[in-house]
Amino acid sequence: MTKSAGASRFRGSEAANGLAMISPTATFALLLLAAPLATIFIYSFMTDGYLEIIRDFTFANYVEAWTKELYRVIMLRSLGVSLAVTAATVLLAFPVAYFVSFHVDASRKSLWLFLITIPFWTSYLIRVFLWKVILGYNGVVNSGLLGIGLIDEPLTFILYNVNSVVITLAHAYAPFAILPIFVALEKIDRSFLEAGRDLGESPFMTFLRVTLPLAMPGVISAVLIVFIPTVGDYVTPQLVGGPEGQMVANLIQLQYLKLDNYPMGSALAVTAMGIVTAFSLLFLFLNRRYLKGAK
Amino acid sequence: MTFSAEKSNMIEFKDVHKYYGDYHALRGITATIKAGEFFSLLGPSGCGKTTLLRTIAGFEGISSGAVMIDGKNMEGVPANKRPTNMVFQSYAIFPHLTVAENVGFGLRKDPRSAAEKAKAVTEALEMVGLKGFGNRAAHALSGGQRQRVALARALILKPKVLLLDEPLSALDKKMREQMQVELIKLQRQVGITFILVTHDQEEALVMSDRIAVMFEGEIAQLADPETLYRRPNSRKVADFIGTMNFLPAKILSEADGKVEIDAQGFGPITLNAEQVSGAASSTGASVGFRPETLTILFDGQTAPDRESMAVVEEVVYYGDMTYYDIKLDGSDQPIRLSMRNVFGRPVLDIGTRTRVAWAPGALVVFR
């Protein structure tokens, strides 16, 4: 077969049609996602000079990122916050998803999902600001608790620290956890649950042995969807984190915009991405038995 | 396998009613199923047969009446505490477990050692013809294999009653016929009471010791397959089970266990009283008979009992059988007649006049 015959066959094929169809999106993704990522990756191996970036290949940025006490503390804090947010969000989202899937009349389910996503109609920034109002020194929580006499003076541990970051992020990401778990629960054939009961298990044991394992693909999606973006969240720690609630995104922003140290900022960003990827892959590996081939 | 002469009652329904809102799904079911019996609930979809089965399993509550299993009232007893196991229509094989884990699912509280349980699982798989399948993933099984896993998973718990909810409907014809025979053998081997729900009358006739035919939430007739086929108690049951011809008839007199009727195409006949069924109705009586109870007489053959003349209107050739639609002299309605094709016997043409043999004993009169 000649080369041109092969080429004309390709032009008419389904694969060519498919590629043509995705090419605008692919171009967009390449330009706005892959290219900036590649730029950051390249920056991270360069040297910072005064007012310019010196094109010298170096590992110095990474050595600093991995050894400096401050960076390590902030990276570990970011991971800790993200894990806490993930745990809280997924644990609280599961009962909601379970309730909507199993106890809400089929005709009302879409209404419930609509209500769950309503907070998303408000800007993320405004929602974070509102948490400031709720958790503040003279905020809703404190004045409420003072009013009913449960506390004598306002609580200070709920704003401008790690706790407030966790609370705010958990609220912001709740729908992202509820939806995949709901979808996984919806897919469970109800005769599996009857089979569990029929084979002698109580409702609780049927949940543990049948419902939960079958919902795990949804739980795994929820964990990743919450964990991956929260590690790098910038707005929430900036607004409600206070000095001791700063996370790695704030550090990267500081390097880039305040200190004008692009290579250091890039090295921190790549490091954070690497750690998140490693954690996610490890998590997927530990849960691989729930993800194989089941229909 | 031996049973005492008098089989005990395994399931008793006592005037069971079930409402879904305003919908009356079960309307006063009263029936008894004996221990060790292969019992079928047969009826068209929506007749309540699956609902009735699910009241035994404990998946449906009842609105009034009582369901007894082995002499115990099951009211308030949850599904997991009932001595029944079910083979679901969809088989409900857990997709996250292997075949062996599926079969052993119900053994968690079994006090036996892990090794003994594993042995029981192996034996159960062997019994249903799936030896060596234990480590397969459940989702990699064919329909027939899933069904065998479902059977093994239920039977390993040695239930008093095995409930089968249309277990063969998802299989192709050949597989279905093979599984019918296997289920009958399995039932004889384990001696457990089997209750089968089906809408396939042929399946029910082949497999069951007794059949309850249900229409609209009620049991229309409960009998063994032969009685059901030969002496259906209503036109509706007769219509549902196999093919039955109907011709209008008039009841002339009833006395001393004898009934005189005048049936279209047959003329005046005297029948036994037990051949008449159904309550008196205003629409007029009819006489029913199966296609195979009429025989076309060829040259030189004589009727053992009665003989009439008829015209062939339609011929349908099936290879082993030929179906004729014929009109008896004196009747304006075609009736179906089936003949086994014997070597050397011709298939008649449309329009042929022929003699037809019949027997009064094969007729059923519906009032």
Side-chain angles (χ1 to χ4, degrees):
Chain A
M1 196 203 311
T2 64
K3 211 171 181 180
S4 67
S8 71
R9 179 173 299 182
F10 175 75
R11 269 198 298 280
S13 71
E14 260 182 61
N17 278 335
L19 285 175
M21 216 144 38
I22 62 158
S23 59
T25 332
T27 314
F28 188 82
L30 273 175
L31 282 176
L32 295 174
L33 204 71
L37 270 178
T39 313
I40 285 177
F41 192 70
I42 293 165
Y43 272 157
S44 69
F45 291 104
M46 291 180 177
T47 312
D48 183 48
Y50 184 68
L51 292 180
E52 61 178 339
I53 295 162
I54 300 162
R55 296 185 179 185
D56 274 348
F57 182 86
T58 173
F59 282 113
N61 302 313
Y62 284 101
V63 172
E64 194 180 339
W66 284 88
T67 51
K68 204 168 172 183
E69 177 77 21
L70 173 73
Y71 297 159
R72 203 164 56 228
V73 166
I74 291 187
M75 193 61 232
L76 285 175
R77 181 194 295 152
S78 297
L79 270 178
V81 166
S82 193
L83 289 172
V85 169
T86 306
T89 310
V90 172
L91 286 179
L92 293 173
F94 197 97
V96 178
Y98 186 89
F99 175 79
V100 177
S101 180
F102 283 82
H103 296 289
V104 170
D105 190 78
S107 62
R108 297 250 169 82
K109 280 181 185 172
S110 39
L111 176 70
W112 272 81
L113 293 180
F114 170 73
L115 291 174
I116 284 167
T117 50
I118 269 191
F120 274 80
W121 296 23
T122 322
S123 134
Y124 179 46
L125 200 61
I126 292 176
R127 274 180 286 142
V128 179
F129 264 116
L130 286 174
W131 275 105
K132 262 174 120 158
V133 176
I134 295 169
L135 300 173
Y137 191 80
N138 294 315
V140 178
V141 172
N142 276 329
S143 47
L145 290 176
L146 282 171
I148 58 169
L150 268 177
I151 51 174
D152 297 325
E153 54 186 274
L155 304 172
T156 52
F157 65 87
I158 55 174
L159 189 59
Y160 298 128
N161 56 24
V162 169
N163 297 334
S164 52
V165 176
V166 171
I167 291 170
T168 308
L169 283 174
H171 170 251
Y173 281 89
F176 289 116
I178 292 170
L179 293 177
I181 297 173
F182 170 78
V183 170
L185 288 171
E186 281 289 287
K187 278 204 291 192
I188 299 176
D189 186 339
R190 298 312 192 243
S191 67
F192 290 145
L193 311 186
E194 283 183 348
R197 299 294 307 281
D198 190 64
L199 295 167
E201 293 296 11
S202 63
F204 179 69
M205 283 308 294
T206 301
F207 173 81
L208 284 187
R209 296 188 68 193
V210 181
T211 316
L212 192 57
L214 289 175
M216 274 315 279
V219 173
I220 291 164
S221 313
V223 164
L224 294 178
I225 287 176
V226 176
F227 175 73
I228 293 171
T230 46
V231 169
D233 195 88
Y234 168 75
V235 175
T236 300
Q238 187 68 22
L239 291 178
V240 302
E244 58 195 88
Q246 297 296 297
M247 285 164 57
V248 72
N250 309 103
L251 190 64
I252 295 166
Q253 189 262 357
L254 187 80
Q255 294 291 345
Y256 266 92
L257 302 182
K258 296 270 161 60
L259 305 178
D260 203 27
N261 188 346
Y262 281 29
M264 192 61 225
S266 299
L268 285 168
V270 173
T271 300
M273 277 190 279
I275 290 172
V276 169
T277 308
F279 262 73
S280 302
L281 290 178
L282 178 70
F283 180 74
L284 282 175
F285 178 76
L286 291 176
N287 286 288
R288 64 196 179 283
R289 70 193 183 97
Y290 296 114
L291 297 169
K292 63 186 172 199
K295 280 201 260 186
Chain B
M1 185 117 301
T2 53
F3 291 109
S4 55
E6 187 66 19
K7 286 180 184 175
S8 60
N9 293 341
M10 182 52 80
I11 308 275
E12 286 169 77
F13 296 110
K14 294 181 174 168
D15 196 28
V16 172
H17 286 266
K18 169 79 184 175
Y19 289 88
Y20 291 107
D22 289 338
Y23 179 63
H24 202 167
L26 297 177
R27 303 170 183 232
I29 303 285
T30 299
T32 305
I33 299 169
K34 305 257 183 238
E37 199 170 27
F38 200 130
F39 192 92
S40 288
L41 298 167
L42 173 66
S45 58
C47 72
K49 57 190 191 299
T50 297
T51 307
L52 191 61
L53 190 81
R54 290 167 60 83
T55 64
I56 305 174
F59 299 135
E60 298 291 348
I62 54 175
S63 306
S64 68
V67 176
M68 319 274 283
I69 300 179
D70 205 13
K72 287 189 200 75
N73 192 334
M74 284 293 127
E75 194 179 340
V77 180
N80 48 324
K81 300 255 166 70
R82 295 196 182 194
T84 61
N85 283 109
M86 183 130 148
V87 174
F88 291 83
Q89 189 171 9
S90 61
Y91 310 141
I93 304 300
F94 300 122
H96 59 297
L97 302 177
T98 64
V99 168
E101 285 168 336
N102 262 286
V103 174
F105 188 93
L107 296 177
R108 184 178 63 87
K109 285 179 273 189
D110 193 306
R112 284 179 289 177
S113 73
E116 283 173 309
K117 287 187 202 177
K119 192 162 162 271
V121 168
T122 312
E123 283 168 2
L125 280 172
E126 219 163 295
M127 180 175 66
V128 297
L130 286 180
K131 193 176 176 186
F133 274 69
N135 290 325
R136 296 264 186 110
H139 55 82
L141 298 178
S142 72
Q145 290 166 339
R146 275 160 196 262
Q147 177 178 49
R148 289 158 196 267
V149 174
L151 271 169
R153 184 174 73 176
L155 288 173
I156 198 172
L157 301 176
K158 301 199 166 42
K160 286 180 177 162
V161 183
L162 183 74
L163 308 170
L164 302 122
D165 184 6
E166 306 228 10
L168 306 176
S169 61
L171 304 179
D172 60 58
K173 190 166 182 286
K174 211 159 197 170
M175 193 72 203
R176 194 158 61 227
E177 283 165 2
Q178 187 190 338
M179 281 310 290
Q180 285 175 359
V181 178
E182 283 193 35
L183 273 175
I184 300 169
K185 282 188 187 157
L186 197 60
Q187 196 265 342
R188 281 194 202 125
Q189 186 191 335
V190 296
I192 291 170
T193 311
F194 276 33
I195 304 178
L196 173 80
V197 159
T198 181
H199 62 265
D200 182 342
Q201 45 94 15
E202 204 180 332
E203 187 172 298
L205 291 178
V206 169
M207 298 172 78
S208 321
D209 293 323
R210 287 196 305 153
I211 301 169
V213 182
M214 290 181 70
F215 294 113
E216 286 156 14
E218 283 173 308
I219 293 180
Q221 187 171 8
L222 198 167
D224 60 275
E226 200 179 339
T227 308
L228 213 54
Y229 190 77
R230 285 177 193 262
R231 294 267 181 272
N233 66 1
S234 66
R235 267 192 82 143
K236 216 170 172 185
V237 172
D239 239 353
F240 193 74
I241 310 270
T243 310
M244 190 162 259
N245 293 300
F246 297 100
L247 285 173
K250 222 178 268 164
I251 296 175
L252 302 173
S253 69
E254 290 180 71
D256 304 331
K258 295 284 175 193
V259 180
E260 273 198 68
I261 65 160
D262 184 4
Q264 198 187 75
F266 291 116
I269 336 158
T270 307
L271 302 176
N272 290 322
E274 68 259 25
Q275 284 173 257
V276 184
S277 66
S281 78
S282 54
T283 51
S286 56
V287 61
F289 49 98
R290 300 288 182 191
E292 68 276 13
T293 59
L294 297 187
T295 313
I296 288 175
L297 293 172
F298 290 90
D299 291 342
Q301 290 181 312
T302 48
D305 205 328
R306 305 291 186 89
E307 185 180 317
S308 296
M309 288 303 288
V311 182
V312 175
E313 299 236 305
E314 189 62 71
V315 181
V316 184
Y317 180 72
Y318 267 89
D320 60 335
M321 302 286 287
T322 305
Y323 288 88
Y324 294 98
D325 285 346
I326 60 165
K327 254 183 202 166
L328 291 169
D329 282 6
S331 165
D332 56 356
Q333 291 178 22
I335 53 173
R336 177 149 283 198
L337 174 157
S338 68
M339 292 286 287
R340 181 153 292 285
N341 289 332
V342 180
F343 179 73
R345 181 196 281 169
V347 173
L348 298 182
D349 293 323
I350 294 171
T352 313
R353 272 189 73 74
T354 181
R355 294 178 296 137
V356 172
W358 55 279
L363 303 180
V364 193
V365 180
F366 302 104
R367 278 197 250 246

